[in-house]
């Protein structure tokens, strides 16, 4: 095996030295394994806790203690106004107007709510086109919606498959599936980034093709939000939803987000499940019997906002605002380029395949590898070496080097450990 000068601790450390965002790591609690900080490559699963989050949650608790229900109007950050600082920050991350974003519920719940609005099947147009091997929760949501409307799951859900012998789905095949089913599709619903392979889908092209087929286009951005550049409004996407506990570091079971294109705020063709928190705030508390929708995505919000969850979410978003999302994306590309580089360095003779696209525009920071032999043994050894990675059956290890708290040294260390583990076999 050839060792070049870039696959060295000194080189990795020199990249960290030059990194203008290296100060960000200190804003997070880094978990320990044994007596040393872990290499935490699970930001795609549960982002780390911002150090300020506990104080922010405590502030809400204190306002509750001090003001009771008047906390909605009193204190430094009255709860009635609290969510208003979130949408402008998310606006940059999601690529949408602030009024097109609503922070509410949880991801799968929002997926259902969005489908109540954007999946209105008719005898002629009733199909959903999605990726093969979508995240299970999404598959369950699609299936239950289809059944609720009285359609047959096998007929109504069209999954676009990867090319035989690969794990990636080409844009060409997606567009072809839309074209072939254009008379019968109601909805095209993909993830922005596939959770298993880390592949980024061409959301602009998919949306355009869906609209040409007279169907709505929606995206599940669980693995995209906070990870890649998004331009939902510009791409004319109809709706999207995402969770905030992965790349957006807002805690386990964090409050989630949804985007609804402004052109649908007054779209009378849409169904919507409504509740009092979606009523226009100017007359919400007049408690009138008819619903006046908020002139924004907030019309989809049904219930009182959960303040403790919002507090954790806000803390994290403020970090994104302070650091600047563009800078994070740049560092993310550098980290993943280095990760690809070192993985290739140690993969001779070949021990694994990289499932994630090599083209930097078609991936975020996650890299998935399928290990040829003793995959589970290799994975189990990683944790003993202080590395948190993620296991997917049958033989896939996923790692995400996130720009807020991962370092080039983390990547070097991971590759070095992996190389040793392969040599032991
Ligand atoms: C993480 C993830 C979910 C999880 O949904 P919750 O409702 O937040 O539990 C759903 N879909 C995708 C694509 C995910 O990556």
């Amino acid at each position: 095996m050839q060792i070049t000068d870039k696959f060295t601790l000194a080189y990795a450390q020199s990249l960290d030295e030059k990194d203008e965002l290296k100060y960000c790591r200190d804003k997070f609690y880094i978990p320990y394994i044994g007596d040393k900080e872990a290499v935490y490559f699970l930001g795609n699963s549960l982002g780390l806790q911002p150090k300020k989050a506990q104080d922010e949650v405590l502030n809400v608790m204190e306002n509750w203690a001090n003001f009771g229900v008047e906390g909605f109007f009193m204190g430094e950050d009255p709860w009635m106004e609290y969510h208003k600082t979130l949408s402008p920050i998310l606006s940059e991350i999601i690529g949408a107007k602030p009024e097109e974003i609503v922070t509410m519920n949880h991801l799968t719940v929002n997926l259902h709510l969005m489908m109540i609005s954007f999946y209105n099947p008719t005898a002629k147009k009733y199909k959903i086109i999605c990726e093969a091997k979508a995240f299970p929760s999404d598959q369950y949501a699609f299936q239950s919606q289809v059944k609720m409307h009285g359609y047959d799951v096998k007929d109504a859900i069209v999954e676009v498959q990867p090319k035989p012998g690969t794990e990636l789905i080409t844009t060409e095949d997606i567009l072809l599936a839309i074209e072939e089913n254009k008379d019968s599709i109601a909805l095209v619903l993909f993830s922005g980034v596939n959770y298993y392979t880390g592949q980024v889908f061409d959301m602009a092209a998919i949306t355009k093709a869906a609209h040409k087929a007279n169907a709505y286009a929606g995206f599940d951005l669980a693995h995209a939000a906070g990870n890649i550049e998004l331009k939902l409004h510009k791409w004319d996407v109809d709706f999207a939803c995402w969770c905030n506990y992965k790349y957006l570091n807002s805690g386990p079971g964090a409050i989630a987000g949804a985007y609804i294109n402004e052109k649908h705020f007054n779209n009378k063709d849409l169904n919507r499940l409504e509740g009092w928190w979606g009523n226009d705030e100017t007359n919400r508390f007049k408690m009138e019997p008819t619903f006046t929708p908020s002139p924004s995505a907030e019309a989809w919000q049904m219930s009182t906002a959960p303040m403790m969850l919002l507090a954790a979410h806000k803390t994290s978003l403020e970090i994104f605002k302070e650091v600047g999302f563009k800078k994070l994306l740049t560092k993310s590309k550098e980290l993943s380029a280095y990760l690809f580089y070192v993985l290739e360095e140690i993969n001779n003779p070949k021990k694994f395949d990289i499932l994630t696209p090599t083209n930097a525009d078609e991936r975020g920071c996650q890299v998935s590898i399928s290990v040829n032999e003793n995959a589970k043994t290799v994975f189990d050894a990683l944790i003993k070496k202080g590395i948190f990675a993620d296991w997917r059956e049958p033989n896939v290890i996923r790692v995400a080097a996130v720009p807020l708290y991962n370092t080039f040294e983390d990547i070097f260390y991971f590759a070095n450990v992996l190389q040793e583990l392969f040599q032991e076999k």
Side-chain angles (χ1 to χ4, degrees):
M1 186 165 307
Q2 188 196 358
I3 309 281
T4 68
D5 56 350
K6 285 186 180 172
F7 182 39
T8 60
L9 178 62
Y11 182 75
Q13 285 174 337
S14 76
L15 293 178
D16 285 323
E17 263 327 291
K18 277 185 280 184
D19 171 21
E20 60 160 334
L21 299 188
K22 64 171 179 274
Y23 72 98
C24 298
R25 179 177 166 88
D26 195 42
K27 295 179 182 295
F28 293 86
Y29 289 113
I30 311 291
Y32 274 65
I33 294 181
D35 58 1
K36 107 179 173 338
E37 278 185 349
V39 170
Y40 191 80
F41 278 154
L42 289 177
N44 57 349
S45 181
L46 182 67
L48 291 180
Q49 182 179 142
K51 286 180 181 165
K52 284 188 177 162
Q54 295 185 20
D55 279 348
E56 191 60 35
V57 174
L58 206 61
N59 275 343
V60 171
M61 299 296 281
E62 276 175 4
N63 283 359
W64 176 24
N66 292 335
F67 307 120
V69 73
E70 292 301 319
F72 278 100
F73 309 101
M74 293 171 71
E76 254 181 42
D77 242 339
W79 304 332
M80 276 307 285
E81 305 292 322
Y82 198 89
H83 64 291
K84 292 189 178 162
T85 55
L86 307 178
S87 295
I89 306 174
L90 283 162
S91 164
E92 193 192 355
I93 297 174
I94 296 300
K97 298 186 179 179
E99 58 272 25
E100 292 175 314
I101 295 167
V102 54
T103 297
M104 61 180 189
N105 311 316
H106 293 86
L107 171 54
T108 309
V109 174
N110 287 340
L111 204 51
H112 276 295
L113 294 180
M114 292 299 111
M115 289 178 81
I116 292 282
S117 292
F118 293 94
Y119 180 57
N120 288 304
T122 61
K124 195 161 172 279
K125 285 179 83 69
Y126 61 94
K127 288 185 185 167
I128 299 173
I129 297 204
C130 60
E131 76 230 59
K133 290 204 206 161
F135 192 87
S137 197
D138 298 37
Q139 295 187 45
Y140 309 152
F142 303 165
Q143 290 163 14
S144 56
Q145 288 272 341
V146 162
K147 283 190 259 179
M148 187 180 76
H149 287 286
Y151 294 88
D152 174 28
V153 166
K154 283 213 176 68
D155 176 37
I157 299 180
V158 178
E159 295 185 347
V160 186
Q161 302 290 335
K163 284 248 183 276
T166 80
E167 296 280 347
L168 303 179
I169 303 173
T170 65
T171 305
E172 200 186 354
D173 285 346
I174 298 170
L175 301 188
L176 194 65
I178 296 173
E179 173 64 23
E180 280 173 0
N181 293 280
K182 65 174 187 276
D183 295 329
S184 53
I185 40 174
L187 175 64
V188 179
L189 215 179
F190 271 71
S191 62
V193 175
N194 180 274
Y195 81 99
Y196 187 76
T197 61
Q199 177 182 14
V200 174
F201 292 115
D202 186 340
M203 288 171 260
I206 293 171
T207 302
K208 202 164 155 215
H211 289 168
K212 206 170 141 218
N214 257 321
Y216 288 126
F219 293 93
D220 181 329
L221 302 177
H223 283 265
N227 177 24
I228 61 167
E229 184 174 35
L230 293 165
K231 294 182 178 163
L232 298 188
H233 182 85
K234 183 167 169 235
W235 298 333
D236 203 26
V237 169
D238 294 293
F239 72 91
C241 27
W242 59 92
C243 54
N244 285 313
Y245 53 79
K246 291 172 181 163
Y247 295 105
L248 290 164
N249 310 317
S250 304
I255 190 165
Y259 151 93
I260 296 122
N261 190 305
E262 65 180 357
K263 71 184 175 189
H264 296 305
F265 294 168
N266 294 310
N267 181 346
K268 298 282 184 284
D269 294 339
L270 301 185
N271 291 314
R272 180 172 56 213
L273 295 183
E274 293 170 344
W276 73 320
W277 227 248
N279 198 93
D280 193 358
E281 62 178 348
T282 57
N283 69 351
R284 184 179 301 156
F285 298 99
K286 290 192 182 137
M287 310 304 239
E288 285 170 348
T290 36
F291 180 80
T292 318
S294 294
S296 69
E298 285 180 14
W300 274 259
Q301 189 176 19
M302 287 190 275
S303 296
T304 313
M307 293 310 306
M308 279 78 96
L309 295 184
L310 282 181
H313 187 33
K314 181 176 176 169
T315 316
S316 170
L317 288 182
E318 278 174 354
I319 296 177
F320 279 84
K321 182 179 167 191
E322 182 195 328
V323 177
F325 190 48
K326 287 225 166 66
K327 283 188 183 168
L328 286 167
L329 289 175
T330 305
K331 175 168 171 192
S332 175
K333 294 246 178 252
E334 289 162 7
L335 285 170
S336 81
Y338 188 56
L339 181 52
F340 262 73
Y341 176 82
V342 294
L343 284 176
E344 270 156 28
E345 282 293 290
I346 63 167
N347 203 19
N348 180 23
K350 198 160 173 214
K351 301 284 185 183
F352 55 84
D353 289 296
I354 299 181
L355 305 183
T356 310
T358 19
N359 178 351
D361 293 333
E362 290 172 42
R363 64 168 194 254
C365 68
Q366 175 186 315
V367 177
S368 309
I369 62 173
S370 74
V371 179
N372 297 342
E373 277 173 40
N374 304 313
K376 194 64 176 34
T377 318
V378 169
F379 175 76
D380 290 340
L382 289 177
I383 189 92
K384 294 197 189 92
K385 294 282 188 179
I387 298 165
F388 279 110
D390 169 285
W391 173 255
R392 293 286 136 169
E393 294 292 343
N395 65 340
V396 172
I397 297 174
R398 302 185 309 169
V399 289
V402 309
L404 274 170
Y405 46 76
N406 284 122
T407 62
F408 293 92
E409 187 173 337
D410 283 347
I411 292 171
F412 169 79
Y413 179 72
F414 167 66
N416 204 32
V417 166
L418 211 51
Q419 185 182 39
E420 276 171 27
L421 292 171
F422 288 139
Q423 280 164 358
E424 276 170 24
K425 296 281 129 24

